[in-house]
Every structure is written in structure tokens, then in C-alpha cells.
Amino acid sequence: MQTAQRAIIHVDMDAFYASVEELDDPSLKGKAVVVAGLGRRGVVSTANYEARRFGVRSAMPTAEARRRCPHGVYVVPRHARYKAISDVVFGVFGQFTPVVEGLSLDEAFLDVSASLRLFSSVEAIGRQIKDDIRARTGLNASVGMSHNKLLAKLASELSKPDGFLAIRPEEVRGYLDPLPVGRMWTVGKVAEEALHKVGIRTLGDLLRADDWRLHKAVGARHGEQLRALCRGEDPRPVVAEAAEVSISAEWTFETDLDTLALAEAWMLRQCERVGSRARARGLKGRTVSVKLREPPFVTHSRQAQLPVPGHATPEIYAVARRLLQTWWNQHPRPRLRLLGVSLSGFDARQSDEQQDMFATPASEKPSDGVQDRINQRFGAGALVRAGVLKTRGKD
């Protein structure tokens, strides 16, 4: 019996953060809008299409963006606002299928195969999703549709902005063959250069290349994987509600930290953020990791285990602080331009009853509960521990 073909949709909001800013401030329409950190070490989160014409792109240092686009409007990110709009968008997805794989606030894969019984085609579902997002948020979404994730994402990318494209099985080669080989998923800069050296510049070139040339460039295993992808083959499923691997928080400083006391205060601030998020999700972790970056760009990481999986801020901070102090004392002139902490090692199957009965379960702290409730009511940062006060006004 032949397996029914899947129906996969990829939705990507157009220049999401910048579009939200234009929605809330119509005077920005038609201007080059860049959402970015505005400090000396800020980076670009999103640039609208007007700004992209000047070469501004995500992850670019804000200083470089200003050089390329000095007349642009630079806006500080408002993550709470973007999350609120994202919740509306994902609410639209949930009306069509429960199989939603969120990639970020503004991007997701949907498997709507089971929904085809209620709609005439995947295009009908995609059009309704696009129209509903527009009606509920006032924003444009690019929608790509096909029978697998690779082609659905390619369809949304090729049709941006405000895109809408379905790639049918018989159309795959027509869309894929002319594309530069660097556009293919899994082909990085090194692999792209190696393929160019043997005369492979497009996906069609790769399919037509003999084994010797292809394997010389990227190896036999990767070469055969690329052949399958260039044929439009992608068996990956849409994975709904993927388990959270880690919860982290970090901060890049305008002025390097050069005292341990201030570094400890910032570490406590990040531990409060991580603990609050873990408790909100009902997750308890075993591993605490710290990320420490010296100027100009040397990054160190250290990790240690909690005695019992937990999410209490004092326990997370005790481990993180010890790791920070050890690192600090090992360096003759310690300075930090970035500091971060993460909690990982979650096990959703592990209940409190399964934990070590001889360990002290200090994960439920009254102070955490009070702080969480006040911050939920009055906003993040309304109540912090005294040690965090040293960081106030130094954001």
C-alpha cells in the first residue's frame, strides 16, 4: 500500500520585530527600521526590508549597521510585546493542527496532513492561516507548502516578503536545480568552497556530478546526503513540543566587569531569571553551567551538578557562584565582557518521589514563590534579591 503524502507548511513572519514596531508606530512605515541593542556592543535583532537594502542583517554589530545605514531608525527590542504577538500567531496554528514545531517566536513548521480531510488542499489551509494571521495581528506571514520540511521552508524563503508558494512533487527539480549550492541545508562556507573547486556551483550541478568529484569535495557520506537533499528528499518529521534542553540567561556589558563582587551580583541576577523560568515551566535541572567571556572574545565555560535536581534560585546561584569564584581566582587580571548561566539536565519522567530520599530537597523556597508571584503581577524585576541591586542602573 502506498503511503499517503505528507502536507507540511512552513510559516515565517516577515521581519517580525521590525514589523511589530511599524504596527505600533505607523510613522515608521517606509523608513529603514533596525531593532537592535543600542549600546557600544549591541547587535541587530531584526532589520526591515528597507534597511536590508543597505546590507543590514541580523546578528550584525549595531555600530556596523549604523555605518551602513546612518539614516535608519534604531529601536530597542521589546521582547514582551513580541511574545504577546507570537502567542496570537501560534494560536492560529493550533486551530488547524496540534502538530506544530516552533523554531522561534516567529517561525514554525506545521504538519497538516490529517487536516486535509477538512480542506480541499494544503494551499487552502495555508491561505487561511495567512489570512487569519493578518486579520488578528495586522502582520504579514510568508507561507511555504510542500510534502516535506526542506521544500516547505524553501517555498517560504523563495516567495518572501509576504510570500505564498506551494512546491508540488513534479516541480521540485525546477525549483531546486538552479539554486546556488550554498543555499542547501548542511552546506556551510567550507563545504561550499570545496564544491566550487570541483566545478559544482548549483544544486543541479551536484546531482549531475560524478561520485569522484563529489566525494573528493565533501566526503562520501556527506556527498550522498547532499544528493538526497538536492533531489528534494527529507524524511524529518514535524516534532511538536520538543523537550527543553536548557534554560539560560546571559548579559553583555557595556564596560568590562573587573571586580568579583559586581560579577557575583550579575551572576545572581541571571540565576534569578533562570530559576524563575524553570519554575514557571515546572522543570527541575541537575546541571548548572556558567559562560564567561573575556575581552575581546575569549569564552570559557564551566559546569557542576546540583545534589538534587531543582529550580530554586539559591541552589543554582550557590553552584554558579562557586564556579565563577574558581575561574576568577585562576586569572591574574580577570575581566568579563559577558556573563551567563544555564540550567540543564531536565528529566520530565522524574518525580519528586524518584529522587534520592537521603538528599535534602531544598528546591521549594518560600522566597522564590513570593518573588515569582510579585514579578508576575507587577512585572519582571519588581522584586529582586538585595545582592542584585548593585546591577541596577548599569544595564
Side-chain angles (χ1 to χ4, degrees), residues 326-359:
T326 300
W327 179 88
W328 195 275
N329 293 330
Q330 290 172 344
H331 290 72
R333 294 185 59 197
R335 294 164 62 210
L336 290 174
R337 65 170 290 169
L338 177 147
L339 180 151
V341 63
S342 67
L343 181 66
S344 61
F346 306 121
D347 186 351
R349 299 166 298 177
Q350 185 178 42
S351 67
D352 292 335
E353 290 77 11
Q354 291 174 313
Q355 294 177 7
D356 185 353
M357 68 177 67
F358 299 106

Side-chain angles (χ1 to χ4, degrees), residues 55-229:
V56 179
R57 64 181 187 279
S58 299
M60 172 182 286
T62 304
E64 174 64 20
R66 288 189 184 278
R67 283 192 290 271
R68 296 187 180 212
C69 188
H71 63 283
V73 180
Y74 290 79
V75 182
V76 176
R78 298 182 297 148
H79 294 290
R81 174 62 171 153
Y82 308 146
K83 178 62 165 59
I85 298 289
S86 174
D87 289 343
V88 175
V89 172
F90 275 74
V92 172
F93 299 157
Q95 293 184 334
F96 295 88
T97 177
V99 189
V100 178
E101 182 179 342
L103 305 179
S104 63
L105 288 179
D106 61 329
E107 183 181 7
F109 283 110
L110 291 71
D111 189 330
V112 297
S113 304
S115 302
L116 291 177
R117 293 191 296 266
L118 302 175
F119 294 85
S120 58
S121 65
V122 67
E123 291 93 334
I125 299 174
R127 177 57 66 184
Q128 191 64 56
I129 289 173
K130 184 177 176 69
D131 290 347
D132 285 357
I133 290 173
R134 176 70 183 179
R136 296 188 191 186
T137 69
L139 301 176
N140 291 328
S142 288
V143 177
M145 299 143 285
S146 196
H147 53 276
N148 63 40
K149 293 168 77 171
L150 170 72
L151 296 171
K153 182 173 175 62
L154 177 65
S156 68
E157 290 175 350
L158 291 177
S159 58
K160 272 183 169 290
D162 196 18
F164 187 82
L165 176 65
I167 298 180
R168 298 175 179 82
E170 66 272 16
E171 299 171 330
V172 171
R173 293 295 297 273
Y175 281 107
L176 289 183
D177 283 9
L179 292 178
V181 71
R183 284 289 301 271
M184 179 52 69
W185 173 57
T186 78
V187 176
K189 286 292 183 184
V190 174
E192 182 181 18
E193 291 174 3
L195 290 165
H196 286 177
K197 287 179 180 178
V198 296
I200 298 174
R201 294 191 168 273
T202 68
L203 303 190
D205 291 341
L206 193 147
L207 279 180
R208 292 185 291 269
D210 57 77
D211 289 345
W212 184 86
R213 278 198 301 153
L214 181 58
H215 296 173
K216 178 184 177 183
V218 296
R221 183 177 180 181
H222 191 198
E224 293 314 306
Q225 291 174 340
L226 283 177
R227 281 196 198 277
L229 291 171

